Amino acid sequence: MAATCVRPSPLTMFWCYCFYITTFLTLVHGDRVMNKIYVDIQGDMACFKRFNGTHEIGCTSGFYGNSGVIHVIQNQSDLQWVYDKGPHKPYVLAIPPQFHTPQVLKQAEDSGKVSGIVVMVEENFNPQVLGEFSGESHCPNSELDLYKASFPEYSGYCEKNPWNPDGTSFLFMSWNFPVFLVDNQTSIDYIKQYYEDFNKPDENGEPQPWPLLCMELNSNMFGTTNAEVCMRRSNLAGSQLHHVNFCDPLSDRNILATLNPMNASVELPEKSVTVVAARMDATSMFDNISPGANSAVSGLVTLLVAADALNRYKDAKVESSTKNILFVLFQGESWGYIGSSRMVWDMARGEFPFKYQENLSDQMSQINLTHIEHFIELNQVGEGMRATDSLLFLHTDPVSNSDPQISSETRKLLTLLQNSSSVANSSVTLEEVKPEIPLPPASFQSFLKKENISGIVITDHKEGFKNKFYQNIFDDYKNVKYEADGGASDRYHKHISHVASALATTLYTILTDEVKPITVNETLADTLLYCYMQNISCEMFKKFGEKISPSFFNEKPAKMYVSVGENNGLTYLTEKILAGLVGEKVDLDSDSCKVTSRYSVYQLFYSASIDNGTCFQSTVRGTVAQSPAFSIEGYDWQSGEYSTWTESGWQMTGLMIYLKPSVGEEVGLVCGGVVSLLLSLGVVYFMNSRADIIFGLPTPPAAC
């Protein structure tokens, strides 16, 4: 069959040109229409879903987000207006922190008129107006408490004498709408100004007419039900082409370092290791904000400063000692002692810090529970300051100390700590807590479940926590009264330094049986506190974290949340800082300063930003901090033996505000659009059928 060539009519060519031009303009300028409709505001701090073996907690939006008319809340009458008179449901409540309570959210949920909540924290907000508010329960980590099942005489202590008297369990509640935190002042000003312009009821309390300011909240969570269901779905989805990340176990890395090297070729004596531990995680209801100034940073920085001082005082007596110090920073302790329980589980299997490698001569010694002589834990120590000195408390375990040998060892350790505080002139009074009082929530409990060990937990509280904002966004530098601009006049960094000095002096005596006052670097303490609690973009963090993405660094407090996986930038950064403090500089360039084996006694770390390039050799390394529940085949998710906390996956979170017309106007616009479409189709048909008359064209030939 012969091919035919039909010349396009001018009308067809005209519409083709229109199509091409429209497509081009859409590709180049397609975002302008959306930008004219929506205004993006800060939306990176969403409440999100977490799951354990029995239930779920947190918040989620619908798949396409939740929308509603914004109503700014300033007092109780504003809430009642929404519930009693508000005609434009659903509403998005924009509330100040004092209204962010379980009671307010429950009332909003029960009303059926609220589709989301935004908590606005302004730059000048003073948390002290809240009095106290902790998102944790009265008895943190009670489901994994040492005394819960085996020691009934102590298991009910916390119910009668709460360790966290200001606890609300807000963190462990589940809500059927999204909740966001906004602390960007520009975003807050947008919300408040547009609310005044469009939404605020008039003087008689009557609602404003359309258009009204609305908000869209996007925080759809993929996970659901509980950890067992969520993990099963994730595992099934993992075998599919398009993997959906329903949830992941809370996990990261513990950080450890020994003062003296420990080579597996040399037998490690029983009861020769003193563990000095602190946690490095905190939490809150929201993503991207968990400052943990007292709950985590106070103990973390005290440990780092003490480790630095002890390393600088390391002499021949320390190096030849048959004893050693193991510094450990645990991750995930806020969620069921994840890091400490994993370390104990690995020790019990003979795989700490890793499984023994038969063919390697250069590898770190295996450490198990029988090698531990003492355990010293730095818990919350940030609120121990008094007018002229500091007061901290020494907690011991009544169960393990019923063993006369353990009791004797504990008594020696108590005396040594108290005497060392005096020797170091640290201005810290260390007061013993009554021996019949059980331990507060502490990582030490994970070890005592498996082995009786002499140990002490150092805190700033004798009974209930002094920290009024435990596991809350307001446990920040203001909560511990730190003054970054105070310089030498700041008392807080001196308080932390004095505690570190007493600890370092104690450890030196344990190693050498000699008393020597250890002076710490107060400037280091001040720098670390500033970097962790106020500005992770500080010079020190940038030097040690030069391999971390630049997006990590901003002028905000460090995010102390454990998160998922092993890619936590803060953990990496802390590991390298500890390596710089307890390690030594070696003469190797960047090409030679590389780790050849993670099993080696010494690990290498290179920083091009420190002294024009420095290689550090240290015993610092990371180990897995993930609950054993996810490694035990057939684990009973309801057993309560180990933490089962997971975090939901999500694609994005975000907030947008926009003006919404009335329903009548929207229907009118749609109907007008349909009519316009039908008319345009009629015009096109008419013009196409009369093209030869309209444009005066001859009829084209049928074929060529």
Side-chain angles (χ1 to χ4, degrees):
M1 181 182 293
T4 61
C5 302
V6 181
R7 181 184 178 188
S9 70
L11 184 62
T12 302
M13 295 177 66
F14 170 76
W15 286 113
C16 287
Y17 289 144
C18 290
F19 172 77
Y20 292 142
I21 293 171
T22 302
T23 302
F24 174 76
L25 292 176
T26 300
L27 291 173
V28 177
H29 299 290
D31 63 327
R32 289 186 178 178
V33 175
M34 181 177 179
N35 290 342
K36 289 178 180 179
I37 298 174
Y38 295 98
V39 175
D40 286 319
I41 61 175
Q42 180 194 12
D44 61 339
M45 296 183 183
C47 166
F48 55 97
K49 286 285 187 182
R50 283 171 279 222
F51 313 90
N52 67 5
T54 57
H55 62 286
E56 66 181 73
I57 64 174
C59 324
T60 183
S61 73
F63 184 79
Y64 295 106
N66 287 25
S67 298
V69 176
I70 293 178
H71 197 80
V72 174
I73 305 300
Q74 295 178 326
N75 49 54
Q76 187 63 36
S77 62
D78 292 331
L79 285 172
Q80 287 306 127
W81 187 93
V82 171
Y83 304 143
D84 299 338
K85 297 185 64 176
H88 302 130
K89 71 174 186 178
Y91 284 91
V92 172
L93 304 183
I95 62 176
Q98 50 266 46
F99 282 89
H100 184 227
T101 66
Q103 294 77 18
V104 170
L105 265 68
K106 183 71 168 98
Q107 188 181 22
E109 187 176 62
D110 293 344
S111 73
K113 299 180 74 173
V114 176
S115 60
I117 288 180
V118 173
V119 184
M120 301 187 299
V121 182
E122 302 202 43
E123 288 179 352
N124 60 355
F125 178 74
N126 181 10
Q128 297 307 315
V129 302
L130 301 175
E132 59 279 323
F133 190 83
S134 167
E136 252 287 1
S137 64
H138 282 133
C139 304
N141 283 337
S142 59
E143 68 280 0
L144 293 168
D145 189 76
L146 166 67
Y147 310 102
K148 181 178 180 180
S150 304
F151 308 102
E153 65 270 36
Y154 301 112
S155 61
Y157 177 85
C158 184
E159 296 299 327
K160 298 175 182 177
N161 308 277
W163 287 113
N164 186 29
D166 301 311
T168 62
S169 296
F170 199 3
L171 191 60
F172 301 99
M173 299 177 183
S174 183
W175 308 102
N176 62 10
F177 48 60
V179 182
F180 277 77
L181 179 76
V182 176
D183 65 356
N184 178 275
Q185 193 60 47
T186 301
S187 294
I188 294 173
D189 291 341
Y190 274 141
I191 294 172
K192 297 178 76 172
Q193 183 59 54
Y194 292 147
Y195 170 78
E196 291 283 339
D197 294 342
F198 295 99
N199 291 22
K200 186 176 182 179
D202 64 22
E203 295 179 355
N204 298 319
E206 295 301 316
Q208 295 290 346
W210 300 93
L212 294 171
L213 178 68
C214 293
M215 179 179 286
E216 181 178 305
L217 304 87
N218 288 288
S219 61
N220 181 248
M221 301 287 131
F222 299 154
T224 185
T225 311
N226 57 46
E228 181 179 10
V229 172
C230 194
M231 289 300 296
R232 183 169 64 244
R233 290 180 178 179
S234 288
N235 292 334
L236 288 173
S239 61
Q240 305 300 316
L241 181 61
H242 301 290
H243 175 56
V244 178
N245 183 33
F246 289 102
C247 63
D248 291 295
L250 295 185
S251 58
D252 197 357
R253 299 190 311 280
N254 294 327
I255 300 173
L256 63 95
T258 58
L259 186 65
N260 291 325
M262 300 170 63
N263 198 311
S265 61
V266 179
E267 183 178 356
L268 186 64
E270 300 288 292
K271 288 187 174 294
S272 62
V273 177
T274 294
V275 176
V276 180
R279 68 171 57 182
M280 55 177 167
D281 73 290
T283 192
S284 77
M285 185 175 179
F286 301 99
D287 188 27
N288 284 321
I289 181 168
S290 47
N294 191 16
S295 62
V297 176
S298 63
L300 164 63
V301 172
T302 302
L303 185 147
L304 293 175
V305 174
D308 168 71
L310 195 60
N311 185 61
R312 286 188 289 104
Y313 278 78
K314 188 163 66 172
D315 52 25
K317 294 178 181 179
V318 171
E319 293 177 344
S320 62
S321 175
T322 58
K323 298 184 178 182
N324 210 335
I325 307 298
L326 175 63
F327 296 103
V328 184
L329 294 171
F330 292 121
Q331 267 286 18
E333 297 301 277
S334 302
W335 296 96
Y337 306 127
I338 292 174
S340 58
S341 64
R342 179 56 184 250
M343 179 172 167
V344 171
W345 188 65
D346 286 341
M347 282 184 165
R349 296 185 305 143
E351 295 185 6
F352 182 82
F354 42 71
K355 189 174 182 179
Y356 181 75
Q357 305 299 302
E358 294 288 346
N359 300 321
L360 286 180
S361 58
D362 176 22
Q363 61 179 306
M364 182 178 169
S365 298
Q366 301 290 294
I367 306 174
N368 60 48
L369 294 168
T370 62
H371 292 135
I372 301 175
E373 180 182 22
H374 301 300
F375 194 105
I376 302 174
E377 179 172 349
L378 294 158
N379 206 284
Q380 299 182 82
V381 297
E383 296 194 47
M385 289 191 303
R386 298 190 294 189
T388 58
D389 62 354
S390 299
L391 174 64
L392 296 178
F393 299 93
L394 307 177
H395 298 259
T396 57
D397 168 46
V399 177
S400 59
N401 282 290
S402 61
D403 181 330
Q405 182 180 352
I406 298 296
S407 178
S408 175
E409 293 172 356
T410 302
R411 170 52 49 195
K412 290 179 181 178
L413 183 59
L414 285 166
T415 302
L416 179 56
L417 271 165
Q418 291 171 322
N419 291 342
S420 296
S421 180
S422 299
V423 170
N425 295 318
S426 64
S427 302
V428 179
T429 299
L430 298 174
E431 180 182 319
E432 294 179 39
V433 175
K434 292 180 180 179
E436 64 270 20
I437 295 178
L439 288 173
S443 305
F444 187 29
Q445 292 193 21
S446 297
F447 291 78
L448 292 173
K449 286 181 179 180
K450 299 296 183 181
E451 187 84 14
N452 283 345
I453 299 171
S454 162
I456 293 172
V457 177
I458 305 175
T459 74
D460 57 15
H461 54 88
K462 186 176 184 179
E463 296 174 339
F465 293 170
K466 286 187 176 181
N467 188 355
K468 301 298 183 182
F469 299 112
Y470 184 72
Q471 306 297 37
N472 186 278
I473 61 172
F474 296 117
D475 183 16
D476 57 12
Y477 72 96
K478 297 176 184 177
N479 188 40
V480 294
K481 301 178 177 61
Y482 173 64
E483 300 175 13
D485 299 329
S489 65
D490 171 61
R491 294 182 55 237
Y492 185 69
H493 82 273
K494 293 182 180 180
H495 160 71
I496 293 296
S497 298
H498 293 163
V499 178
S501 180
L503 174 61
T505 301
T506 299
L507 298 177
Y508 184 88
T509 303
I510 289 174
L511 292 168
T512 65
D513 289 327
E514 293 186 6
V515 177
K516 176 189 285 190
I518 304 297
T519 303
V520 303
N521 184 345
E522 291 190 3
T523 301
L524 172 65
D526 193 18
T527 301
L528 288 169
L529 290 169
Y530 172 71
C531 293
Y532 278 106
M533 295 197 300
Q534 280 195 253
N535 183 10
I536 58 172
S537 189
C538 66
E539 183 180 356
M540 181 183 192
F541 274 22
K542 284 185 174 180
K543 285 183 176 181
F544 280 96
E546 61 184 13
K547 294 183 179 179
I548 301 176
S549 169
S551 62
F552 171 85
F553 297 100
N554 54 66
E555 295 184 2
K556 288 187 175 183
K559 294 174 285 190
M560 306 302 293
Y561 178 59
V562 57
S563 195
V564 298
E566 296 186 16
N567 298 312
N568 189 323
L570 188 65
T571 302
Y572 171 88
L573 182 59
T574 302
E575 182 178 335
K576 300 314 175 189
I577 289 173
L578 182 57
L581 297 179
V582 302
E584 60 178 346
K585 297 178 181 180
V586 293
D587 188 18
L588 294 175
D589 59 22
S590 58
D591 293 330
S592 304
C593 186
K594 293 181 180 178
V595 177
T596 56
S597 169
R598 70 183 185 92
Y599 306 107
S600 300
V601 174
Y602 285 111
Q603 300 292 293
L604 299 175
F605 158 60
Y606 186 84
S607 172
S609 302
I610 299 175
D611 297 333
N612 296 318
T614 303
C615 182
F616 292 97
Q617 175 181 275
S618 75
T619 60
V620 178
R621 70 194 68 229
T623 61
V624 175
Q626 184 184 92
S627 171
F630 301 99
S631 299
I632 299 173
E633 189 172 351
Y635 179 76
D636 180 2
W637 296 89
Q638 283 77 43
S639 68
E641 183 178 3
Y642 294 112
S643 170
T644 54
W645 284 107
T646 63
E647 176 187 301
S648 175
W650 67 82
Q651 187 171 11
M652 59 162 286
T653 64
L655 296 176
M656 296 187 295
I657 56 177
Y658 59 95
L659 284 178
K660 178 181 173 68
S662 67
V663 176
E665 288 181 87
E666 289 182 322
V667 172
L669 287 171
V670 173
C671 292
V674 172
V675 171
S676 298
L677 174 63
L678 294 175
L679 287 174
S680 64
L681 290 176
V683 170
V684 169
Y685 175 78
F686 174 79
M687 294 182 70
N688 194 49
S689 63
R690 300 289 189 273
D692 55 337
I693 299 174
I694 296 172
F695 297 102
L697 297 174
T699 303
C704 57

